[in-house]
Amino acid sequence: MSGLDPFVVEVIRHGLSAAAEEMSLVMTRSARSPLLREAGDLSSAITDAEGGLAGQGKDIPIHMGAMAYAIPELLKLKPLAAMREGDALIFNIGKLGGNHLNDVKVARPVFVDGRVVAWAISLAHWPDVGGTWPGSYLVNAVDSFQEAIRIPPVLLATAEGVQRGVMDMILSNVRDPVACEGDMLAQLASTRAAEKRIREMCAQYGTETFLAALKRLHDLSEAEMREAIRDLPDGVYEGEDFLDEGGPDGAPARIHVRIEIKGDEALFDLSGSCDRVANFCNMTPYIARSAVAYGARVLSGRDMQQNAGALRPLTIITRPGSILEPGFDAPVAAGNHETSMRIVDAMFKAMEGVIPERLTAGGAATSGLLNFCEPRKGLPWRMLYEVHGGGEGARIDRDGVSATRVLLTNTSNTPTEMIETNYAIRVERQAIRRGSGGAGAHRGGDGVVRRYRILAPEMWLTACLERSKVPPFGLQGGEPGLPFRLTLLRDGVETQLDGKLNMLLRQDDVLTLESAGGGGYGVAH
C-alpha cells in the first residue's frame, strides 16, 4: 500500500504495544499465583497472522524473543485454515518455540470479518506443572518427562466456552489446581483483551491498513537493525562464558559464540558450546535465538522495537546435541533463564574490544531462584517461587545499580508481607550486601541479602543460582563481583549449600541468600 500514512503506522505501533501492556495488566490483576500477580513472571505478545512478532509488553526479554517463533511452529501442526473464531490453544512443549515447561502459553487467533489478522499470546510461568519434584525443577533430571507435564497444542477454549475436559486433565497433574485454574482463566482473559483492541484498530483504520501497517513495521525494524550492523566494523569476534557446572567432571560448562559482521548482516555461531549436560541447564534452540536477539539489540546501541523484521539480518547457528540444541527430551528447566544469560555475556566479551562504551560488566545474571513448596495433606500445596536480584555491572560512565535485575530478567521479589501472610515462612532480613560489587574506575552494584526461617514442619526447596562459582566479570580491567552464596543454619550449625539443589527443609531451618555483586569497569585509581 504505497499511500500508507506513516502517522497511522506509528499510531498502530503504539496501539499494539498498549494492547500487549493491557494483556499483562489483566494477568497481574486477575492471576491467582503470587509469582504472576506480585513478581510478574509473565509476558504478552501480539503477532501477525503468520506469527511474526509485532507488539509486546514491557515484560521479560527472554520470553519475548522466543514468542517470535511460537506461532510459526504452531502453524506447522495446526494450520491457519483449521482455526475458528473463539478458539484459544494452550501448550508448553519445547518444539513450539518453547522456553521451559513451566512457561505455559495461551494463544488466540484474532478474527476480523471471518479471517485471522493477528494472534494474541499470553505466557505465564506456572509455579508447578507437575513432575517429580514440587515446582517442576529437578536439578539432576535425566529428561523432560521427569520435569513436568508436557502439553501439546490443544483447545483450551472455543466460542462455546472453556473446554472443561482439557482444563481438568491439566489440573489433575499439578500440585495447586486452585491457583492453576485461576491462572489459566487469567491468561484467557488477557488474550480476549488484546482481541478487543485489535478489532478496534481494524474498525478505526480499516483491516487492510492494519495489515499493511504490520508489514511496514517489520520492514522498518529490519532497516534499523541493518543500519546498526553496518555501524559495526566488519570482522570475526569470539567470546565465551561459563555456567557454574555441567562440564566434564563437574567443571564449568562452556558457552561460546563466534560473531561475524559483514556489511548489514551478522552471523552468531554458537556451535562451539559444550555438549548436552547431565542436569537441567540445557535449553531449547528458540531460547538461544532469543538470547542472541536481545544481545544484538544491546550491541546495536539503539532502542529499536523488537519484532520479526529485526531478526531478518541475523543468522543464528546452534549445534544438534549441544547444550543449546539438546533434543526434545532434554531437561531444560534452568537453561531458560540461566544458560541464556551466559550467551549474552559471551557476546559482550566477544565485542569488548570493539564497542566497550556500549557494554556493561558482568552482573547477577541469573534468576536467583529459591522455590519453596509446603506440602499439605489433602489440600493444594503452597508454592512460593522467589527470584532475587543482585548487582548490575558497571559501565564506562557510571557505577552499577545495586539490588536490581540485569539482562534477560525483569521480575520482582515477592513482598515480605505477602510471603508471611500466605506461607509458613518468616523473612528475617532484607538488606543490601555491602561491598559485593567489584572495584574499578566505576564499581559494580551490590547484591542483596534475604533470610528465611521455615515455620512449617517441612518444606521442599529448590535452589537455582548461577554466578555462585564463576563470579560476574569485570570489563576493561575492572574487578569481578562477589559470587552468590547460599547458607543453611540448622541446629546452630551453618553450612554453605550448592547453588543448584533439591532438598527438604525442617522447621526452624534458616536459609540465607546473598546475591552476587556486579563487576567493575576500568582500572581503579
Side-chain angles (χ1 to χ4, degrees):
M1 185 178 289
S2 58
L4 191 61
D5 187 335
F7 292 100
V8 172
V9 173
E10 188 68 5
V11 170
I12 290 175
R13 180 174 77 85
H14 284 283
L16 292 168
S17 297
E21 280 288 288
E22 184 176 354
M23 290 176 68
S24 295
L25 285 172
V26 169
M27 280 295 300
T28 55
R29 291 178 178 179
S30 55
R32 292 291 298 272
S33 298
L35 176 62
L36 301 177
R37 69 174 191 264
E38 300 290 343
D41 196 348
L42 58 94
S43 293
S44 306
I46 295 169
T47 77
D48 59 28
E50 291 74 36
L53 187 63
Q56 62 184 59
K58 296 181 179 69
D59 298 315
I60 300 177
I62 196 62
H63 291 168
M64 303 314 308
M67 295 263 234
Y69 302 97
I71 300 304
E73 295 300 320
L74 172 67
L75 291 175
K76 293 176 183 179
L77 300 179
K78 302 281 187 180
L80 205 59
M83 299 296 134
R84 299 291 180 266
E85 188 167 348
D87 285 354
L89 297 106
I90 187 169
F91 53 93
N92 72 347
I93 55 174
K95 69 178 182 180
L96 297 185
N99 304 36
H100 55 181
L101 295 174
N102 289 77
D103 284 344
V104 181
K105 300 182 183 78
V106 172
R108 181 184 298 276
V110 178
F111 282 78
V112 174
D113 298 327
R115 62 169 166 165
V116 177
V117 299
W119 287 80
I121 315 170
S122 169
L123 183 155
H125 180 116
W126 291 5
D128 181 81
V129 203
T132 303
W133 191 267
S136 310
Y137 275 65
L138 183 63
V139 172
N140 293 317
V142 300
D143 58 34
S144 63
F145 300 97
Q146 288 186 315
E147 290 187 313
I149 181 176
R150 296 162 55 93
I151 308 171
V154 291
L155 284 171
L156 179 61
T158 67
E160 285 71 44
V162 171
Q163 300 296 287
R164 194 69 229 183
V166 171
M167 183 174 281
D168 288 343
M169 182 275 294
I170 295 170
L171 297 178
S172 297
N173 284 277
V174 301
R175 293 175 175 88
D176 188 354
V178 175
C180 183
E181 181 171 2
D183 295 343
M184 268 193 280
L185 293 174
Q187 287 185 265
L188 283 172
S190 75
T191 60
R192 288 295 298 271
E195 177 183 58
K196 179 182 178 183
R197 299 306 178 198
I198 292 167
R199 287 176 172 172
E200 287 174 350
M201 283 187 276
C202 288
Q204 183 171 358
Y205 302 106
T207 303
E208 295 305 322
T209 297
F210 175 81
L211 295 174
L214 295 187
K215 184 178 183 302
R216 179 61 176 156
L217 289 171
H218 294 327
D219 293 342
L220 289 170
S221 290
E222 177 184 2
E224 190 170 13
M225 179 61 83
R226 290 190 183 279
E227 183 180 351
I229 295 171
R230 277 195 298 269
D231 287 344
L232 298 173
D234 283 1
V236 176
Y237 312 96
E238 296 189 46
E240 63 182 15
D241 196 28
F242 293 87
L243 293 157
D244 285 336
E245 57 270 309
D249 300 320
R254 179 177 186 247
I255 302 298
H256 179 270
V257 61
R258 176 182 177 274
I259 304 174
E260 181 176 350
I261 306 296
K262 188 174 182 180
D264 64 356
E265 296 189 347
L267 181 145
F268 300 86
D269 186 351
L270 300 164
S271 60
S273 300
C274 68
D275 291 340
R276 171 174 167 167
V277 297
N279 62 26
F280 63 170
C281 286
N282 302 288
M283 63 189 290
T284 73
Y286 304 105
I287 292 296
R289 296 174 193 173
S290 179
V292 169
Y294 168 84
R297 289 181 66 198
V298 175
L299 299 179
S300 77
R302 298 162 186 250
D303 186 21
M304 67 179 69
Q305 184 176 17
Q306 179 63 39
N307 63 25
L311 297 172
R312 292 171 185 166
L314 312 181
T315 299
I316 303 167
I317 299 172
T318 55
R319 173 174 58 86
S322 74
I323 188 174
L324 310 182
E325 193 176 342
F328 82 98
D329 63 334
V332 295
N336 186 65
H337 43 67
E338 307 302 320
T339 310
S340 60
M341 295 208 240
R342 303 290 72 78
I343 292 175
V344 178
D345 281 339
M347 292 172 64
F348 285 9
K349 290 180 178 180
M351 302 302 289
E352 180 180 2
V354 183
I355 48 171
E357 71 282 356
R358 295 185 190 176
L359 304 178
T360 303
T366 168
S367 65
L369 167 64
L370 296 179
N371 195 4
F372 300 93
C373 300
E374 180 186 348
R376 300 190 301 162
K377 292 182 178 179
L379 294 170
W381 288 40
R382 290 197 177 106
M383 308 281 175
L384 174 61
Y385 185 101
E386 271 280 77
V387 287
H388 300 81
E392 178 198 31
R395 294 180 63 88
I396 192 171
D397 57 349
R398 63 169 174 82
D399 294 346
V401 175
S402 298
T404 190
R405 266 66 178 181
V406 299
L407 297 187
L408 295 162
T409 59
N410 189 26
T411 52
S412 304
N413 60 283
T414 307
T416 296
E417 296 82 359
M418 177 62 66
I419 293 173
E420 294 184 347
T421 299
N422 291 279
Y423 303 95
I425 296 172
R426 181 184 302 132
V427 179
E428 295 192 337
R429 188 180 184 209
Q430 175 78 43
I432 299 293
R433 188 187 183 190
R434 300 293 180 188
S436 56
H442 289 285
R443 290 193 62 90
D446 287 332
V448 300
V449 179
R450 188 126 151 147
R451 181 173 297 153
Y452 305 86
R453 182 178 293 273
I454 304 304
L455 306 179
E458 68 175 14
M459 191 80 71
W460 299 56
L461 172 71
T462 298
C464 182
L465 317 171
E466 271 295 321
R467 295 308 193 204
S468 63
K469 297 176 183 176
V470 180
F473 57 89
L475 277 182
Q476 301 292 293
E479 296 295 321
L482 291 182
F484 266 81
R485 188 168 184 266
L486 183 65
T487 57
L488 174 66
L489 180 64
R490 175 179 285 177
D491 300 329
V493 178
E494 185 175 84
T495 305
Q496 184 165 343
L497 302 177
D498 290 337
K500 299 182 184 69
L501 58 81
N502 300 117
M503 68 176 296
L504 279 175
L505 298 175
R506 304 197 307 237
Q507 193 166 18
D508 282 327
D509 281 353
V510 177
L511 195 70
T512 302
L513 180 144
E514 299 169 84
S515 71
Y521 192 107
V523 179
H525 300 295

